[in-house]
Amino acid sequence: MATPTRTYAESEADALGERVSRNPRPALIWVGVSAFLLLLEAGAAVEFLLNVLGDFLRAVPQVGRVQAVVNLQEAAGNVPTLLSRETIPNRGYYNGQEYVGTFMGLAPGTAWQFRVGLIYAYSFALLAWTWVGYDWYRTHYRVADWTPRDDVVDRLRSHGWGLFGLAVVFMFFVLVVFAPAVSPTTVAANLADPYGHTMTYWTGSGTEEITVGQANLGAQSQGTPQENVGPWSYDKYGRFHPFGTLPSGKDLFTFIAHGARISLIIGLLSVGLSASVALILALVSAYYKGAVDLSVVLISDAVMGMPQLLLLIMLTVILSGTWIGKIYSGAFVLALIFAGTGWPAMWRSFRGPALQVSEQEWVDAAKAFGQSPTAIMRKHMLPYITGYLLVYGSMTLGGAIIAIAGLSFLGLGVNPPTPEWGRAVNAGQDYVATSSWHISLIPGILITLVVTGFNALGDGIRDAIDPESDSAGGEGEAGGRGGGA
Amino acid sequence: MSTGRTTPDETESTGASTAETAATSQSTASTGETLLDVQNLKKYYDDDGLFGDPVQAVDGVSFDLRKGETLGVVGESGCGKTTLGRTILGLEEATDGSVIADGRDVTEISGAERREWQRDAQMVFQDPDSSLNDRMTVGEIIREPLDAHDWQTAEDRRARVFELIDKVGLREEHYYRYPHQFSGGQRQRIGIARALALEPEFIVLDEPVSALDVSVQARIINLLDRLQDDLGLTYLFIAHDLSVVRHICDRVAVMYLGNVVELGETEAVYTDPAHPYTVSLLSAIPGSFGPDRDRITLRGTPPSPRDPPQGCRFVTRCPAKVRPDEYDELSEAAWSSIESLHTVFRARANADESVLDRLKAMLGRSVREDVAETRTDLFGGLDLPSEVGSVIDEAVDRARTGDDEGAAELLREEFGSVCNAEQPDEHVVDADGRFSKCVRHQDGYDDPGAVIERRANR
């Protein structure tokens, strides 16, 4: 074993802060660049968080519309953000000689591409910089020259399929966080209140003002070549539609970008809740075994015995009028139902490894010197299950996204007009064989891609954690929960 | 393997604490007072009655442990020696009996008293690969007991860990390494350092070297020896390697099927074993009995602890078993076959029968024709006296009709003796208080050793 004969002075055992202060250069550079990168887009990040918070608070009756949050949201809107639609606008009109109102007089499509390109370049730069930070921490500040996690990271780095998954998942996250900025238009102007907003367009001989709603009526995709705005094209009002329009004439890309928010929030919430429940129960049942384990087996079997789809339909209908049913357009209830019915499957996946770890001698050793049960579960069992948590979590997340899309395809779940991918697929199903094929196909492909990405990431993490389980052999133990509700 | 490298100030701190503990240990060790008094300790598994008979892993063990000594516990795999150690520490809940330390029964305590006992009594585990959490650094592992007991200040704890790392012969930079990066011997040193962290006075060593290379074993043994001298520790040394036990232990307890059959000063036990089982066990050490004496091979395997034999636990395999007078002239081979047949019947009586087998037996269509074959195999070449032959025939007949229990019972009644009837008491066999649980120490019986030799030469 190659162990460098480096000797440690007492001082090297200091806290991280002291180690940094002894060699502050890398840390300062990293923090400085990070702060600069974050400041560029602070507005977008704050907007996203406040939006989620505001939506939740608004739905709770006792609280209502919290003025403080509204003020914050307005304040966040005023935070100068470099890569926003304000600094790089793509909405404008042709006045006969040139484009007015777009970024540097570019065509709306070009301006939009420029903005989206910059946003993704920025995001990947941020990701790379985070990696640099980890790498510098390893070389400059970490005292251990090797940890078991290093091997996991190294294996993940050379796992092509897993990296593909990571890239897809990351791009999906960027789409979610920067949804307002990457959309060609805004939810308010195009989807929610089109008749309350106006726009200017070039009629061919002069400019004219029109409500967005009227413009949408003229930009519908109805399946005929005459009435269709396909992907990557302009409608007759000079608006660029990267993914074309919906049958109602609304912009599909904007719809999808904001629908991704709902999908991811439901997914994260339901997976987060069910994973926490499953994890705690797995640790407790594996540690105490016997009657505790048996009772959890019985409860989980009972929950698994309930028909999930019927439960979903029943609860969404019953709760639709109540305050909890209104939170996030019904998405919150969906997340709770997914979590409530999904934890037994996860618990079963965690129970095996948890039982295995609880039989290890180091658990006995900890009991022997009087470590408390919670500390034993946390320090000696949990680290061996977090890997499984990531694997099953990412795969279940993909399943949840499919399930939500499936439900809204059936007209259940998230209430209109809140955008949701499944509703776009549903809206386009009459036009699949016509020139408006894009309405169903593009969201469908995106759903498949994102879910595949989450599964690929799960595969990659599993292989990285346990190199002995190859993807071919491990099918049975870690199947993603796809197929909808 | 690294040897301890000490810097001047460390030597000072180590020296100070060593002197301190040595001082206290000296005062206690010199008195030779009792540290632990184990009385009739029992540990049964599955004793809730749902799954038939309980497993009697430890079945009424009594001994005392004196301060500063090393008591070895030897025996075959599954004889309950590890369970004994774990039950004393409270890792297993005792079914019955008591372990008295400092005037309190540690099988009954809870709360603050329990925390105190957890500090005083520690354990070193057999397998250094699985007794250390791979996701923690060596420093964190050794430090964890200190954290769990809120030992002094954080600064003191870290100083203590460095002191321990040095004490067990590791180097300071190992603090930040992970167990993966160490060899088996080094890992066992980490385990020992963890056990020492809370300054215990008593350590259970559960086969601490049996998973290690032979070359490393000696170093770990020497380390344990040195630590005992420095810190005044009391060891309960569980092992199946008899030569290691002879090297390190002051006294040795020989366990068989949940019972201590002999306990005494190591040298006395090794040179002049009293119990027949000890005699057989020691004869398994290569060369121990000299060229002119044969090794005593024990028949078969130990009986299941779910169903120990009546009377003496060792009766099914004992080379010095008391035999009924009327069969005195029976050959050794015949006795051996009779005991084997008895074992077969007992095993069959305990085997789980399928419902189909039981139905067939009720209908008189037994599938148990193989008993006759067993009889031929065992007694084929033997010339048995007629009365012995007829008893065996009757037993075989009983077994053939499915009455294995009756067959075993018949052999027990006919060929059994005092050994089958009662559990022998402890008999003190030498001046140092060594005891052995064998009826042959009573007046009127020959000494086990003499019997074994006589039978071996017949």
Side-chain angles (χ1 to χ4, degrees):
Chain A
M1 180 173 335
T3 45
T5 51
R6 188 149 63 117
T7 47
Y8 283 76
E10 271 285 302
S11 57
E12 283 198 61
D14 287 340
L16 178 66
E18 287 171 58
R19 274 177 271 148
V20 169
S21 65
R22 229 173 301 116
N23 177 18
R25 218 176 101 89
L28 285 180
I29 294 176
W30 189 81
V31 169
V33 173
S34 306
F36 172 70
L37 281 174
L38 285 177
L39 274 180
L40 290 182
E41 284 297 308
V46 173
E47 182 269 345
F48 173 66
L49 292 177
L50 286 178
N51 225 346
V52 174
L53 179 70
D55 281 345
F56 271 92
L57 288 179
R58 200 164 14 187
V60 183
Q62 291 86 349
V63 185
R65 203 173 164 82
V66 182
Q67 198 52 42
V69 176
V70 177
N71 290 345
L72 276 174
Q73 274 173 320
E74 276 167 19
N78 295 331
V79 173
T81 308
L82 183 63
L83 302 172
S84 69
R85 58 175 57 261
E86 283 76 28
T87 42
I88 310 175
N90 70 315
R91 273 190 303 176
Y93 57 90
Y94 191 64
N95 70 358
Q97 286 95 41
E98 56 172 4
Y99 282 101
V100 180
T102 61
F103 180 65
M104 289 169 65
L106 293 167
T110 320
W112 175 81
Q113 279 179 57
F114 183 62
R115 191 170 74 219
V116 171
L118 276 183
I119 286 172
Y120 271 96
Y122 166 81
S123 306
F124 276 99
L126 200 61
L127 184 67
W129 191 246
T130 312
W131 170 259
V132 168
Y134 172 69
D135 201 40
W136 283 5
Y137 167 72
R138 275 205 323 198
T139 35
H140 295 293
Y141 299 118
R142 200 176 65 187
V143 192
D145 47 14
W146 177 90
T147 76
R149 243 168 237 102
D150 288 359
D151 283 357
V152 173
V153 172
D154 287 347
R155 279 193 292 266
L156 189 61
R157 280 178 78 188
S158 57
H159 195 285
W161 181 235
L163 288 183
F164 162 76
L166 183 66
V168 170
V169 169
F170 182 70
M171 288 171 78
F172 179 66
F173 268 87
V174 172
L175 182 69
V176 167
V177 174
F178 293 98
V182 293
S183 304
T185 177
T186 63
V187 173
N190 194 271
L191 304 178
D193 183 19
Y195 287 98
H197 291 79
T198 56
M199 54 169 285
T200 312
Y201 73 102
W202 172 250
T203 56
S205 52
T207 56
E208 207 164 282
E209 196 141 314
I210 187 175
T211 64
V212 176
Q214 279 173 304
N216 283 353
L217 285 179
Q220 290 177 334
S221 295
Q222 296 284 6
T224 57
Q226 293 77 33
E227 273 194 301
N228 182 45
V229 181
W232 215 259
S233 60
Y234 288 88
D235 61 16
K236 44 190 170 190
Y237 302 98
R239 298 181 300 180
F240 181 66
H241 299 287
F243 284 179
T245 62
L246 286 160
S248 58
K250 294 172 176 177
D251 182 56
L252 181 57
F253 192 96
T254 310
F255 191 90
I256 283 178
H258 287 83
R261 283 195 164 183
I262 289 279
S263 297
L264 187 70
I265 284 167
I266 302 179
L268 284 179
L269 202 62
S270 67
V271 171
L273 283 175
S274 56
S276 326
V277 172
L279 202 64
I280 292 169
L281 286 179
L283 290 174
V284 169
S285 63
Y287 182 83
Y288 291 106
K289 304 190 181 74
V292 178
D293 189 41
L294 187 67
S295 59
V296 182
V297 169
L298 291 178
I299 295 172
S300 86
D301 280 353
V303 172
M304 278 174 125
M306 286 193 272
Q308 197 191 17
L309 186 60
L310 290 183
L311 199 70
L312 270 171
I313 295 173
M314 190 182 77
L315 285 179
T316 39
V317 171
I318 291 175
L319 296 175
S320 59
T322 64
W323 63 271
I324 195 169
K326 286 183 190 133
I327 301 180
Y328 229 72
S329 319
F332 185 64
V333 168
L334 276 187
L336 286 188
I337 299 171
F338 281 143
T341 51
W343 66 263
M346 271 205 165
W347 171 74
R348 284 188 173 264
S349 320
F350 297 158
R351 180 172 167 257
L355 278 173
Q356 228 170 350
V357 180
S358 72
E359 293 295 324
Q360 295 285 350
E361 248 176 9
W362 64 72
V363 174
D364 263 348
K367 284 180 191 166
F369 59 69
Q371 186 61 285
S372 67
T374 44
I376 291 178
M377 290 182 218
R378 187 168 43 79
K379 291 174 85 170
H380 297 293
M381 293 168 66
L382 184 60
Y384 292 85
I385 309 173
T386 43
Y388 294 88
L389 178 74
L390 290 174
V391 174
Y392 290 102
S394 70
M395 288 184 175
T396 314
L397 197 60
I401 289 173
I402 286 200
I404 299 154
L407 281 176
S408 21
F409 178 82
L410 296 173
L412 297 162
V414 183
N415 311 324
T418 309
E420 216 298 313
W421 292 13
R423 195 130 24 73
V425 178
N426 185 24
Q429 66 170 325
D430 292 340
Y431 308 102
V432 170
T434 68
S435 30
S436 301
W437 48 265
H438 61 269
I439 307 170
S440 280
L441 189 69
I442 291 178
I445 288 177
L446 281 178
I447 291 172
T448 315
L449 187 68
V450 168
V451 174
T452 309
F454 273 110
N455 285 345
L457 181 62
D459 273 341
I461 296 173
R462 188 190 54 209
D463 290 349
I465 289 167
D466 182 7
E468 280 161 35
S469 77
D470 60 312
S471 333
E475 285 301 323
E477 56 165 274
R481 193 195 69 175
Chain B
M1 185 74 44
S2 54
T3 49
R5 180 191 58 81
T6 48
T7 58
D9 57 301
E10 268 159 29
T11 322
E12 205 173 357
S13 65
T14 321
S17 77
T18 312
E20 191 186 336
T21 34
T24 51
S25 73
Q26 220 118 64
S27 64
T28 52
S30 58
T31 61
E33 73 183 270
T34 305
L35 178 84
L36 270 186
D37 188 7
V38 179
Q39 285 165 5
N40 198 28
L41 191 66
K42 289 183 182 171
K43 172 64 196 172
Y44 292 178
Y45 292 102
D46 297 339
D47 52 353
D48 48 9
L50 274 180
F51 306 100
D53 299 323
V55 174
Q56 305 175 6
V58 174
D59 189 23
V61 165
S62 305
F63 61 86
D64 63 333
L65 198 57
R66 296 166 202 151
K67 278 190 176 162
E69 78 165 342
T70 303
L71 175 66
V73 179
V74 295
E76 286 163 292
S77 306
C79 70
K81 50 193 193 300
T82 297
T83 309
L84 174 67
R86 292 171 58 93
T87 311
I88 290 174
L89 286 185
L91 278 173
E92 309 280 349
E93 207 178 320
T95 309
D96 196 13
S98 58
V99 179
I100 310 288
D102 281 345
R104 61 193 182 205
D105 182 358
V106 297
T107 62
E108 303 277 328
I109 52 175
S110 60
E113 281 190 318
R114 172 135 205 85
R115 305 283 297 167
E116 201 187 317
W117 175 239
Q118 282 163 342
R119 266 204 300 275
D120 287 346
Q122 292 289 325
M123 183 154 181
V124 173
F125 291 84
Q126 174 176 8
D127 183 2
D129 281 340
S130 82
S131 64
L132 305 176
N133 186 346
D134 290 332
R135 307 286 170 100
M136 289 164 81
T137 61
V138 170
E140 287 166 340
I141 289 171
I142 300 175
R143 193 190 150 119
E144 207 197 344
L146 301 173
D147 290 337
H149 284 264
D150 272 330
W151 193 85
Q152 296 181 13
T153 68
E155 201 51 47
D156 291 336
R157 286 178 213 166
R158 208 169 56 217
R160 170 89 180 139
V161 173
F162 278 110
E163 179 196 326
L164 286 164
I165 283 178
D166 186 64
K167 198 174 270 176
V168 298
L170 295 169
R171 290 195 305 274
E172 264 178 68
E173 68 261 31
H174 291 153
Y175 188 100
Y176 294 103
R177 302 258 172 84
Y178 285 83
H180 267 312
Q181 294 165 292
F182 292 91
S183 66
Q186 283 173 313
R187 289 176 71 121
Q188 198 57 291
R189 282 171 197 260
I190 300 166
I192 292 169
R194 174 177 61 188
L196 290 176
L198 290 164
E199 297 176 330
E201 45 184 7
F202 167 56
I203 299 184
V204 173
L205 304 162
D206 184 9
E207 310 208 16
V209 295
S210 59
L212 306 177
D213 286 350
V214 178
S215 58
V216 182
Q217 285 188 359
R219 291 190 185 147
I220 297 295
I221 291 291
N222 288 341
L223 171 69
L224 290 169
D225 229 358
R226 203 187 70 226
L227 289 170
Q228 186 174 36
D229 290 345
D230 287 354
L231 307 173
L233 297 167
T234 308
Y235 288 153
L236 185 72
F237 190 96
I238 297 164
H240 60 242
D241 185 332
L242 297 164
S243 41
V244 168
V245 169
R246 188 173 197 173
H247 177 76
I248 193 172
C249 295
D250 303 313
R251 292 192 303 155
V252 62
V254 182
M255 274 189 84
Y256 183 80
L257 212 62
N259 276 260
V260 171
V261 294
E262 181 169 1
L263 191 155
E265 303 288 329
T266 307
E267 269 319 300
V269 171
Y270 272 70
T271 47
D272 176 28
H275 195 277
Y277 179 63
T278 317
V279 177
S280 332
L281 198 65
L282 291 177
S283 85
I285 304 176
S288 59
F289 265 52
D292 54 327
R293 290 170 78 172
D294 284 337
R295 217 193 115 187
I296 302 159
T297 336
L298 290 178
R299 279 188 297 274
T301 50
S304 157
R306 236 181 236 288
D307 176 42
Q310 289 174 33
C312 175
R313 296 291 188 243
F314 189 48
V315 69
T316 55
R317 302 165 79 197
C318 184
K321 186 188 158 188
V322 176
R323 292 167 183 168
D325 291 337
E326 61 263 39
Y327 297 121
D328 209 28
E329 290 310 306
L330 218 51
S331 70
E332 278 307 304
W335 274 114
S336 153
S337 295
I338 289 169
E339 294 296 347
S340 302
L341 191 65
H342 189 209
T343 308
V344 168
F345 289 152
R346 271 175 49 82
R348 285 167 53 117
N350 282 317
D352 290 326
E353 277 180 291
S354 73
V355 179
L356 192 65
D357 285 346
R358 247 175 284 170
L359 275 177
K360 279 181 177 170
M362 277 166 69
L363 294 171
R365 292 180 51 191
S366 174
V367 287
R368 303 172 153 273
E369 294 302 326
D370 51 332
V371 190
E373 282 173 41
T374 312
R375 188 200 187 290
T376 323
D377 287 348
L378 286 173
F379 298 99
L382 289 174
D383 185 21
L384 292 177
S386 60
E387 71 267 30
V388 175
S390 62
V391 171
I392 287 170
D393 284 339
E394 199 197 328
V396 169
D397 279 343
R398 282 191 190 182
R400 198 181 276 156
T401 56
D403 187 13
D404 290 313
E405 223 166 298
E409 186 66 28
L410 179 67
L411 289 187
R412 211 171 74 83
E413 274 169 16
E414 198 55 37
F415 300 105
S417 66
V418 61
C419 292
N420 293 82
E422 59 187 53
Q423 280 221 44
D425 297 326
E426 292 177 6
H427 297 279
V428 176
V429 292
D430 71 12
D432 293 323
R434 169 152 66 114
F435 73 77
S436 162
K437 282 186 177 179
C438 181
V439 286
R440 284 200 174 275
H441 301 303
Q442 286 171 4
D443 292 336
Y445 294 101
D446 293 333
D447 201 51
V451 175
I452 291 170
E453 199 164 342
R454 195 175 66 222
R455 288 185 186 171
N457 295 333
R458 221 157 71 163

